[in-house]
Amino acid sequence: MAKYTPMMEQYLKIKAENKDAFLFFRLGDFYEMFFDDAIQASRELEITLTKRDSGQKEPIPMCGVPYHAAENYIKTLIEKGYKVAICEQVEDPKTAKGVVKREVVQLITPGTVMESAMLREGENNYIASLSHFQDGSYVVVYHDLSTGENRLALIMDGWDAVIHELYNQPIKEIVISSNLPEQLQQQLKGKLNVTLSYQDIVDFNAEYRDLCENLNDERLLKAFSRLLNYVQHTQKRSLHHLQQAKVIDLQHHLSLDMYSKRNLELTETIIKKGKHGSLLWVLDKTVTAMGSRLLKKWLERPLLNQKKIEERLEIVEGFIQAFMERDQLREVLKSVYDMERLAGRVAFGNVNARDLVQLKQSLEKLPEIKAILSGFQGEEINKLADKILFPNQLVDLLNTSLVDNPPISIKEGSIIKDGYHSQLDTYRDASRNGKQWIAELELKEKKETNIKSLKIGYNRVFGYYIEVTKANLHLLPEGKYERKQTLTNAERYITPELKEKEQLILEAEEKIIELEYQLFLEIRDQIKEHIPQLQHIADVVSKVDVLQAFATVSEINNYRRPSFSSNNTLTIKKGRHPVIEQVMKDGTFVPNNISLNSERNMLLITGPNMSGKSTYMRQLALTVIMGQIGCFVPCEDAELIIFDQIFTRIGAADDLVSGQSTFMVEMLEAKHALSHATDRSLILLDEIGRGTSTYDGMALAQAIVEYIHNNLQAKTLFSTHYHELTILEESLPQLKNIHVRAEEYEGNVVFLHQIKEGPADKSYGIHVAKLAELPNELIDRASEILEKLENEGKPTTDGDTEEIKSGQLSFFNEVQTSSPTLNEKQIGSSEKVIKDLKELDLFALTPLDAMNELYRLQKQVKKY
Ligand code: ADP
Ligand code: MG
């Protein structure tokens, strides 16, 4: 086999060390890719695949992107979840002997991008690491390289809890140990849709000792080290902006499992996956990117501590009361840039002078923010004002060093102010004097030659020259000028003294550019010292921003400050759904009351389809969450309970990604709620049992209600279209029936969306079918069948009706229109099945056992 060219050898060696990334191999003005990288990249990036000689018989596949346009291509790959290794020439090709030395200088991965074009303004860009330990515990670390944030959670209750925890954050990438069991790795990929990366070195890096002060547990340290080592490996530089690791105390936050977070559409909608239509969309009246990110964090982890909640509410109330001041505050905040990320870029080394001017302008707003905050009534707001400390030294530095409108490039000068550095000033004088001299020369030459159009110009090739139009050439004295360039209608000349000055000017300018760059790097290093201070300021400012957002949204939408009950009582007067009321125009949303207490732990909600059952349930959960993040809530008056957890079974979205059926998802969600809920939890079960056939669905629904009632005592809302279940009120003392009122008007159903005590009087399925404009013929036929069923308690077929022993299905009271037509053989087996069913000890069954049992029973009926 022929040998590869030396450069290809170099490529292959570097590629072998970066197998899981596209290797962007710098060749002149291009990043080239070869072999499989080239084939795949040409497809993903829609660029031409070419070939290149490599020393082998056959040319190899190649494709490339120009280096100055690389950012967009990299962005595309990163957004698709790939990694890109940037391999640069690390010595000057002119002086290199043999192949130019190349090295990977940065590994860009979905979780570690720093380029602002690849980051979304109001969103964190999280990478997580996951570590597992012998004792069965796990540690999750969240890290945002762009802001330097580090948070850790120690999870003691098993793998499911890990998935639920990770689901809580919009993670792009997870760093794991290569010996995490394959099956768990698959789950991470499937459920969370993230890039998996590996880091097996968990040795502590002493350079980051200061970040670890809060980590007093070997497991936390190891997990954090895994993450830091990976980040270090990808960035290949020291990072000065990383913040102290904080341990998330899971016990101190309202916990929302993965299902609830998705079902309640807190930060994105289920179907479109966008912010529009989510609770975040309604609440996000923040004006800074930092505030927007913090709001999302608060939504993902509502508080449990009443004192902390009241502190926030207190501030919101203060903000609401002083509209003028709040408006002023919003105006000032609008001119505050993303200081958190700017600080990150200072540390990372990709900050430019324009960024620093933005930083300065933001910092200069602080006294005003502080003054406005001090002007509000209320101790809590004034405390916020006290936390804002003006970084005098830093602002002075920025003020004296940088010009007001620097260019983006930091390598072309025009960054540093006059008077900042004396050597720079000297060079500048030289350059300016030279230019002055040239301007004077122009005047002098004009006068002497009497050529009005004579001018002195400059270009890169010939330097300074004197230009005279052809018509005026005869006016020039002999021998004084040396001709340099001929244009169509002019000649360009130089003189020795012009060249001499030119030399001085160019030298000075070269030195200026070099020195400005050096000075800029020095300034940047000095700013690094101020990073913790900047992060503190960013913290306070983002908090102020979120709280003013709460005040703003509360005022616009007429929310009220909730109080919190000390005796397990929740009462909401005229509550509304915060999102639906926004989507519906002109105040057509119908408000409803709700009341829950120790004697009234569970509400069973009946009512026709489309009447508003699901809305009512979600409305409660969203109100609870809003209250626990410290925002006012959509109602006339609210006394809330501080819940420890919320569980939901809502909506019918199939979990297609992980290949589970609706019914299985229903059962998993129910199981999760039943095994974790406490008497301080809120459970919402929306039409559970719908995903399977009528009878087993209803049986399961009843069993679940009874189980919660008897064993958990969690506050529970349970909606059902199984009207039969309303009878449970008789046997379960803490369960109450409520219903959504609907009226029949001239054969059509009118939804009033009003919640009333007691069970619904009838089902309106056919009316809804009519609203959906099914054919009239079909609607008439359905009404006919229904009427027969209601009169005779049995289904009907075309022509003759089969006999069914009446009373045998008394358990279910009313036969559903959807139930299959039974034949005689089935009736015999049905009796047996019903007997089995009656004897079932439901409380001794897990939901899964129940499913198996039902499966067996159903098979018996289906056999015939
Ligand atoms: P169900 O769960 O009973 O089938 P939904 O809660 O899904 O009904 O509500 C169906 C539709 O009815 C909603 O999309 C909304 O447009 C409307 N709706 C529900 N509740 C109200 C309300 N309180 N006021 C006004 N419209 C409502
Ligand atoms: Mg519903």
Side-chain angles (χ1 to χ4, degrees):
M1 198 167 111
K3 272 185 105 176
Y4 282 108
T5 59
M7 195 196 73
M8 261 304 133
E9 291 287 351
Q10 182 190 39
Y11 171 86
L12 289 168
K13 185 163 162 284
I14 298 175
K15 177 65 197 174
E17 290 158 7
N18 292 279
K19 284 201 187 100
D20 65 345
F22 283 101
L23 184 62
F24 273 42
F25 193 74
R26 183 70 179 269
L27 268 183
D29 282 345
F30 277 79
Y31 287 120
E32 302 288 6
M33 282 161 277
F34 304 110
F35 302 104
D36 285 349
D37 270 11
I39 296 171
Q40 205 182 350
S42 69
R43 209 179 302 136
E44 297 285 6
L45 297 173
E46 295 173 26
I47 51 180
T48 323
L49 186 64
T50 57
K51 286 185 165 41
R52 179 190 176 96
D53 197 29
S54 66
Q56 301 283 53
K57 235 195 278 161
E58 296 290 323
I60 59 165
M62 169 173 103
C63 73
V65 299
Y67 95 100
H68 58 83
E71 192 168 270
N72 270 326
Y73 292 106
I74 296 172
K75 183 175 171 194
T76 307
L77 291 174
I78 297 296
E79 277 172 0
K80 292 181 177 203
Y82 297 111
K83 304 178 190 177
V84 176
I86 306 292
C87 179
E88 295 288 357
Q89 302 173 170
V90 292
E91 61 181 350
D92 191 339
K94 283 177 217 140
T95 57
K97 291 194 196 96
V99 181
V100 187
K101 210 165 143 201
R102 288 184 178 82
E103 267 171 25
V104 171
V105 295
Q106 189 187 355
L107 182 61
I108 305 176
T109 74
T112 61
V113 294
M114 277 301 276
E115 291 63 22
S116 27
M118 296 183 213
L119 291 167
R120 291 211 196 147
E121 265 210 351
E123 282 178 32
N124 276 102
N125 197 64
Y126 284 118
I127 180 169
S129 82
L130 171 63
S131 305
H132 59 297
F133 297 93
Q134 289 275 305
D135 61 358
S137 61
Y138 296 85
V139 175
V140 170
V141 185
Y142 298 109
H143 171 82
D144 182 339
L145 185 60
S146 66
T147 63
E149 175 185 335
N150 290 303
R151 286 180 304 149
L152 292 87
L154 175 62
I155 298 169
M156 309 289 284
D157 34 357
W159 177 253
D160 273 359
V162 171
I163 293 279
H164 286 291
E165 171 54 40
L166 285 168
Y167 196 87
N168 226 342
Q169 306 278 342
I171 306 166
K172 301 279 164 55
E173 183 175 0
I174 300 187
V175 186
I176 54 175
S177 144
S178 56
N179 57 34
L180 186 74
E182 180 59 31
Q183 177 208 350
L184 301 187
Q185 296 191 19
Q186 287 310 322
Q187 274 196 38
L188 289 176
K189 250 194 217 153
K191 289 218 156 98
L192 306 172
N193 184 27
V194 290
T195 304
L196 286 190
S197 300
Y198 301 91
Q199 176 62 259
D200 289 330
I201 303 169
V202 293
D203 296 341
F204 180 65
N205 182 341
E207 191 182 338
Y208 294 114
R209 179 175 297 120
D210 287 353
L211 306 183
C212 302
E213 268 171 31
N214 301 325
L215 308 183
N216 45 14
D217 182 311
E218 191 59 20
R219 293 169 295 187
L220 296 175
L221 263 183
K222 281 224 165 87
F224 191 42
S225 298
R226 180 186 312 284
L227 180 112
L228 288 178
N229 291 342
Y230 178 78
V231 172
Q232 184 87 36
H233 160 72
T234 58
Q235 304 308 308
K236 313 203 184 295
R237 67 192 85 188
S238 304
L239 299 159
H240 297 272
H241 71 302
L242 301 190
Q243 304 183 32
Q244 275 224 343
K246 286 193 197 129
V247 181
I248 309 170
D249 195 341
L250 298 175
Q251 317 294 315
H252 287 165
H253 297 280
L254 166 72
S255 109
L256 291 157
D257 60 10
M258 170 172 111
Y259 307 116
S260 302
K261 246 206 81 182
R262 183 176 50 190
N263 290 337
L264 292 172
E265 307 190 310
L266 294 186
T267 56
E268 63 175 31
T269 52
I270 296 178
I271 298 186
K272 289 198 175 157
K273 299 268 175 238
K275 179 173 168 184
H276 186 92
S278 67
L279 183 60
L280 177 65
W281 168 69
V282 176
L283 298 186
D284 195 355
K285 303 281 184 225
T286 59
V287 292
T288 68
M290 298 178 284
S292 183
R293 289 197 299 270
L294 183 66
L295 169 58
K296 227 172 147 188
K297 281 183 222 174
W298 281 10
L299 260 180
E300 274 149 5
R301 291 189 206 282
L303 300 172
L304 290 185
N305 181 311
Q306 184 171 348
K307 191 165 160 280
K308 284 191 181 156
I309 298 173
E310 300 280 8
E311 267 168 28
R312 289 186 189 172
L313 289 169
E314 192 63 39
I315 296 172
V316 173
E317 176 146 20
F319 281 160
I320 290 181
Q321 280 163 357
F323 169 79
M324 297 288 279
E325 286 80 354
R326 175 159 43 92
D327 207 43
Q328 266 182 328
L329 183 63
R330 283 173 62 85
E331 276 311 310
V332 193
L333 287 175
K334 277 181 194 159
S335 42
V336 172
Y337 291 91
D338 195 339
M339 291 190 279
E340 210 181 1
R341 281 203 168 139
L342 285 173
R345 299 180 59 191
V346 167
F348 191 77
N350 66 347
V351 77
N352 61 39
R354 215 174 264 185
D355 293 331
L356 292 184
V357 170
Q358 290 185 349
L359 179 64
K360 182 190 80 175
Q361 289 166 348
S362 307
L363 293 173
E364 282 172 343
K365 297 290 171 193
L366 291 178
E368 200 178 340
I369 297 176
K370 192 176 170 112
I372 300 174
L373 288 174
S374 313
F376 280 99
Q377 302 287 322
E379 204 187 328
E380 290 299 331
I381 301 184
N382 300 342
K383 271 195 220 160
L384 280 176
D386 295 343
K387 284 190 187 152
I388 296 179
L389 303 174
F390 189 71
N392 278 310
Q393 224 191 334
L394 175 58
V395 175
D396 274 356
L397 169 65
L398 292 168
N399 249 333
T400 48
S401 62
L402 299 176
V403 300
D404 290 340
N405 285 306
I408 288 184
S409 167
I410 52 173
K411 291 189 173 161
E412 283 162 26
S414 309
I415 295 178
I416 307 288
K417 262 189 189 160
D418 282 342
Y420 176 69
H421 194 266
S422 62
Q423 184 62 48
L424 180 63
D425 289 347
T426 315
Y427 292 145
R428 276 185 176 159
D429 279 348
S431 148
R432 279 176 199 146
N433 289 342
K435 282 180 181 159
Q436 177 69 25
W437 182 90
I438 283 174
E440 281 161 14
L441 178 70
E442 191 180 73
L443 282 180
K444 193 178 107 206
E445 293 287 336
K446 268 185 191 172
K447 227 185 221 156
E448 281 177 7
T449 57
N450 231 342
I451 305 173
K452 286 220 180 70
S453 63
L454 177 145
K455 62 180 183 197
I456 296 185
Y458 175 84
N459 75 29
R460 276 176 191 260
V461 184
F462 299 106
Y464 287 98
Y465 53 78
I466 299 171
E467 187 175 298
V468 179
T469 55
K470 292 211 165 134
N472 288 316
L473 287 182
H474 64 279
L475 293 171
L476 287 183
E478 287 288 313
K480 182 175 170 194
Y481 303 97
E482 178 187 337
R483 188 158 68 206
K484 205 63 192 165
Q485 191 186 9
T486 303
L487 307 178
T488 354
N489 50 12
E491 296 284 350
R492 288 177 174 174
Y493 301 91
I494 55 170
T495 66
E497 54 173 354
L498 184 59
K499 281 294 122 178
E500 204 177 295
K501 277 289 174 206
E502 174 187 305
Q503 175 92 20
L504 285 176
I505 295 172
L506 292 186
E507 256 175 38
E509 283 187 343
E510 196 173 308
K511 283 188 177 138
I512 289 170
I513 286 176
E514 212 168 282
L515 183 56
E516 284 207 47
Y517 181 64
Q518 286 313 321
L519 290 173
F520 180 78
L521 297 187
E522 277 171 27
I523 293 166
R524 200 177 67 191
D525 278 344
Q526 287 182 54
I527 300 174
K528 278 187 192 169
E529 309 289 316
H530 296 274
I531 286 175
Q533 201 179 0
L534 287 176
Q535 284 166 340
H536 168 79
I537 293 167
D539 254 17
V540 183
V541 170
S542 40
K543 197 167 170 197
V544 169
D545 191 14
V546 177
L547 291 167
Q548 74 72 22
F550 285 173
T552 304
V553 73
S554 297
E555 185 182 66
I556 298 174
N557 299 333
N558 237 322
Y559 298 161
R560 296 293 153 82
R561 179 171 178 169
S563 64
F564 296 93
S565 160
S566 50
N567 61 353
N568 199 17
T569 301
L570 180 148
T571 318
I572 299 174
K573 287 212 186 94
K574 299 210 166 169
R576 303 168 332 252
H577 189 297
V579 181
I580 296 187
E581 80 164 339
Q582 294 304 317
V583 181
M584 291 180 48
K585 287 180 192 82
D586 47 19
T588 41
F589 191 87
V590 181
N592 275 303
N593 301 336
I594 188 163
S595 142
L596 290 162
N597 53 53
S598 307
E599 278 85 57
R600 204 180 144 93
N601 263 329
M602 304 183 86
L603 298 176
L604 191 110
I605 312 168
T606 43
N609 263 324
M610 289 297 290
S611 61
K613 300 184 294 299
S614 304
T615 306
Y616 184 70
M617 298 173 78
R618 283 161 180 259
Q619 170 178 323
L620 173 63
L622 295 178
T623 303
V624 163
I625 290 170
M626 285 169 70
Q628 287 182 235
I629 60 175
C631 185
F632 284 18
V633 294
C635 62
E636 267 188 21
D637 189 41
E639 181 180 29
L640 300 178
I641 292 172
I642 296 182
F643 288 104
D644 66 348
Q645 302 170 85
I646 297 180
F647 300 94
T648 60
R649 158 62 227 163
I650 296 182
D654 261 21
D655 196 347
L656 292 176
V657 184
S658 47
Q660 286 163 334
S661 72
T662 310
F663 184 59
M664 190 59 191
V665 174
E666 269 191 66
M667 290 300 111
L668 284 171
E669 293 182 358
K671 185 221 149 184
H672 189 74
L674 298 188
S675 48
H676 291 87
T678 71
D679 60 353
R680 291 186 53 216
S681 306
L682 174 64
I683 304 181
L684 305 180
L685 298 172
D686 195 355
E687 312 237 12
I688 202 151
R690 208 177 192 177
T692 181
S693 73
T694 307
Y695 294 154
D696 58 0
M698 193 158 33
L700 270 170
Q702 178 171 354
I704 289 171
V705 172
E706 289 174 351
Y707 183 89
I708 295 173
H709 182 275
N710 298 336
N711 302 328
L712 300 177
Q713 315 232 300
K715 298 274 175 292
T716 306
L717 262 54
F718 190 98
S719 80
T720 183
H721 64 290
Y722 298 131
H723 200 262
E724 297 79 356
L725 293 177
T726 54
I727 201 167
L728 287 171
E729 194 182 58
E730 288 168 20
S731 54
L732 305 177
Q734 289 159 22
L735 178 141
K736 299 287 177 272
N737 282 317
I738 58 173
H739 68 278
V740 197
R741 208 171 128 215
E743 303 246 293
E744 208 173 325
Y745 181 72
E746 294 180 349
N748 289 313
V749 61
V750 180
F751 296 125
L752 301 172
H753 305 303
Q754 279 169 2
I755 298 284
K756 296 280 168 197
E757 295 290 307
D761 49 0
K762 63 190 277 195
S763 180
Y764 291 82
I766 294 178
H767 298 89
V768 174
K770 196 166 167 182
L771 278 186
E773 296 184 352
L774 283 171
N776 281 334
E777 192 189 332
L778 184 156
I779 301 285
D780 291 346
R781 173 64 179 149
S783 305
E784 190 186 308
I785 300 169
L786 177 66
E787 199 175 321
K788 276 212 172 114
L789 283 169
E790 282 177 348
N791 292 338
E792 303 164 21
K794 59 192 173 186
T796 179
T797 58
D798 252 343
D800 56 344
T801 308
E802 304 213 19
E803 289 299 316
I804 302 173
K805 262 192 260 168
S806 82
Q808 63 177 331
L809 296 179
S810 61
F811 172 58
F812 303 114
N813 255 336
E814 201 180 279
V815 178
Q816 301 286 304
T817 46
S818 60
S819 72
T821 311
L822 307 178
N823 63 33
E824 280 181 28
K825 268 185 175 172
Q826 270 178 306
I827 294 162
S829 91
S830 300
E831 269 173 342
K832 165 88 173 58
V833 170
I834 287 164
K835 184 167 162 286
D836 285 357
L837 244 184
K838 276 186 179 157
E839 284 166 5
L840 266 185
D841 181 5
L842 291 177
F843 294 124
L845 290 180
T846 65
L848 211 71
D849 291 339
M851 260 182 71
N852 287 330
E853 185 57 20
L854 278 169
Y855 176 72
R856 188 183 67 79
L857 293 174
Q858 192 188 49
K859 224 165 82 181
Q860 287 191 21
V861 191
K862 275 191 174 164
K863 260 201 309 236
Y864 297 97

